[in-house]
């Protein structure tokens, strides 16, 4: 199970690459796994970064080193796409035994929740002369990072979730082409597919929405986000007002599907989620992340059967 989780994490990092120069890797946000959640800025010495952070940074370094891009994964040339997918899978398998030999530098993590009432927030990860020597497979490699990368989260636009990442002046292994770049992924909720499944299983979507809203009553965090949680009707109305009703519907589906036979987390994701890539705020229509996500999940299923 641990290996499957590692593979899935690596494959999701593949989805987060946009292949135009400069490249932005969501994997650079891996140090957030070492954040305590204090909602205050934290400075973390490289020696105290946790295992998940180290693994994420190694995966990011390997993806960059292997030059695995979405264009290659979706290439019409079978050899190109197959090689990229095999390389990505090998990285995932190699991460099981990968680890840091030595680290140096500091990572500063700073959250900004000043727009929480609008269901928006951001986290900045600043690398201060970060260096890591690591082992993966039979190799010993290194990675150096310096600069800031910020992820912004928006739950109140037309999508279920919008994650956008931007860098300021940034050096990745001494390469400045990673500076001042941005990319984003919007995750849309697939109402048609989910609706068909719920109908086939004998569920009423409106009833499930109401029941889920009832479960959220009087939760303090919702009140802090500006959502009236005094009744199911007010929860639904408040979320509709800020274009976040799809979040409630997604939760309703997840709770329902979790207890159903023949569906697990990966099948739920494939059915309900449609990721769309944006580069510099413009939709990259030629990059079909839905197809790539489904392929990644199919590969994960194959690997899970081998474990």
């Amino acid at each position: 199970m641990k290996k499957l989780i590692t593979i899935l994490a690596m494959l999701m990092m593949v989805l987060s690459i946009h292949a135009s120069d400069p490249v932005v890797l969501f994997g650079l946000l891996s140090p957030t796994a070492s954040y305590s959640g204090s909602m205050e800025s934290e400075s973390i010495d490289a020696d105290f970064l946790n295992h998940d952070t180290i693994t994420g940074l190694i995966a990011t370094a390997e993806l960059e080193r292997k030059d695995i891009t979405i264009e290659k994964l979706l290439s019409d040339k079978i050899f190109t796409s197959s090689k990229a997918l095999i390389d990505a899978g090998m990285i995932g398998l190699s991460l099981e035994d990968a680890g840091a030999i030595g680290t140096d530098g500091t990572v500063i993590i700073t959250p900004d929740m000043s727009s929480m009432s609008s269901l928006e927030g951001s986290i900045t990860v600043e690398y201060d002369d970060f260096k890591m020597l690591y082992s993966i497979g039979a190799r010993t490699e290194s990675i150096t990072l310096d600069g800031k990368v910020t992820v912004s989260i928006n739950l109140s636009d037309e999508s279920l979730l919008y994650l956008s990442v931007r860098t300021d002046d940034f050096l990745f292994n001494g390469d400045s082409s990673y500076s001042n770049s941005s990319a984003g992924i919007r995750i849309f909720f697939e109402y048609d597919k989910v609706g068909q499944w719920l109908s086939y299983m004998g569920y009423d979507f409106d009833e499930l929405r109401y029941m889920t809203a009832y479960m959220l009553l009087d939760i303090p965090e919702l009140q802090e986000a500006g959502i009236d949680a005094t009744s199911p009707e007010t929860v639904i109305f408040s979320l509709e007002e800020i274009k976040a009703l799809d979040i409630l519907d997604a939760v309703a589906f997840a709770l329902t599907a979790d207890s159903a036979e023949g569906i697990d987390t990966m099948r739920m994701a494939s059915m309900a989620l449609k990721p769309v890539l944006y580069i510099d705020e413009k939709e990259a229509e030629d990059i079909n992340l839905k197809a790539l996500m489904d392929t990644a999940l199919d590969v994960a299923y194959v690997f899970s059967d081998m474990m």
Side-chain angles (χ1 to χ4, degrees):
M1 185 64 180
K2 179 182 176 182
K3 188 180 293 184
L4 175 58
I5 292 173
T6 301
I7 292 171
L8 282 173
M10 181 279 304
L11 289 170
M12 289 310 295
M13 287 180 188
V14 173
L15 296 182
S16 73
I17 303 171
H18 83 71
S20 64
D21 281 328
V23 176
V24 174
L25 299 174
F26 278 82
L28 292 173
L29 299 167
S30 296
T32 56
S34 298
Y35 183 59
S36 71
S38 66
M39 305 308 292
E40 301 290 336
S41 182
E42 295 181 5
S43 179
I44 306 173
D45 187 88
D47 290 337
F48 293 98
L49 295 173
N50 66 21
H51 177 267
D52 291 339
T53 292
I54 295 300
T55 301
L57 290 176
I58 292 174
T60 303
E62 289 298 300
L63 288 170
E64 193 273 343
R65 188 182 305 280
K66 293 287 188 179
D67 192 27
I68 299 173
T69 66
I70 287 178
E71 278 88 345
K72 290 182 179 179
L73 287 166
L74 298 178
S75 174
D76 292 333
K77 299 178 180 179
I78 296 178
F79 176 79
T80 300
S81 59
S82 298
K83 184 179 184 302
L85 190 57
I86 291 172
D87 285 344
M90 290 303 297
I91 292 173
L93 292 173
S94 298
L95 288 176
E96 178 77 8
D97 298 315
I101 297 173
T103 56
D104 192 21
T106 304
V107 178
I108 302 170
I109 302 174
T110 306
D112 181 0
M113 298 298 161
S114 58
S115 300
M116 185 177 176
S117 61
S118 300
L119 298 186
E120 296 180 37
S122 67
I123 300 177
T124 297
V125 177
E126 181 178 359
Y127 294 90
D128 186 5
D129 290 328
F130 177 86
K131 302 178 182 66
M132 179 170 64
L133 185 68
Y134 65 91
S135 60
I136 182 168
R139 293 177 290 115
T140 299
E141 305 287 359
S142 64
I143 180 175
T144 63
L145 303 168
D146 193 73
K148 293 182 181 180
V149 56
T150 299
V151 59
S152 298
I153 306 169
N154 188 346
L155 300 175
S156 61
D157 71 349
E158 68 272 18
S159 64
L160 186 66
L161 169 69
Y162 181 35
L163 289 175
S164 58
V165 176
R166 69 179 188 276
T167 60
D168 294 329
D169 293 336
F170 200 91
L171 293 177
F172 191 127
N173 289 340
D175 184 358
S176 63
S177 66
Y178 291 81
S179 297
N180 303 312
S181 58
S182 66
I185 295 179
R186 276 193 170 92
I187 308 294
F188 292 92
F189 187 58
E190 293 273 63
Y191 274 99
D192 289 342
K193 284 189 175 182
V194 171
Q196 288 175 1
W197 183 83
L198 290 173
S199 177
Y200 184 82
M201 299 296 291
Y203 294 108
D204 182 279
F205 213 147
D206 291 334
E207 289 183 2
L208 291 175
R209 177 187 290 171
Y210 185 91
M211 292 171 58
T212 305
Y214 183 82
M215 295 170 60
L216 301 177
L217 298 185
D218 300 319
I219 295 179
E221 288 78 8
L222 292 181
Q223 300 288 356
E224 293 175 6
I227 298 171
D228 186 348
T230 56
S231 72
E233 291 83 0
T234 58
V235 170
I236 293 172
F237 178 78
S238 296
L239 290 173
E240 198 169 21
E241 283 284 290
I242 58 175
K243 299 180 180 179
L245 190 59
D246 51 357
I247 296 176
L248 182 65
D249 293 340
V251 172
F253 165 66
L255 292 174
T256 304
D258 188 54
S259 59
E261 293 184 5
I263 185 169
D264 56 20
T265 302
M266 286 188 281
R267 287 180 176 172
M268 288 166 57
S270 180
M271 182 190 305
L273 305 180
K274 176 186 175 182
V276 177
L277 180 67
Y278 293 79
I279 299 174
D280 296 327
E281 304 301 323
K282 296 179 181 179
E283 183 176 347
E285 296 179 351
D286 58 330
I287 299 179
N288 189 341
L289 287 186
K290 172 61 175 173
L292 182 56
M293 182 188 76
D294 287 345
T295 299
L297 292 173
D298 285 343
V299 171
Y301 259 102
V302 172
F303 276 115
S304 67
D305 289 338
M306 297 168 58
M307 298 172 190

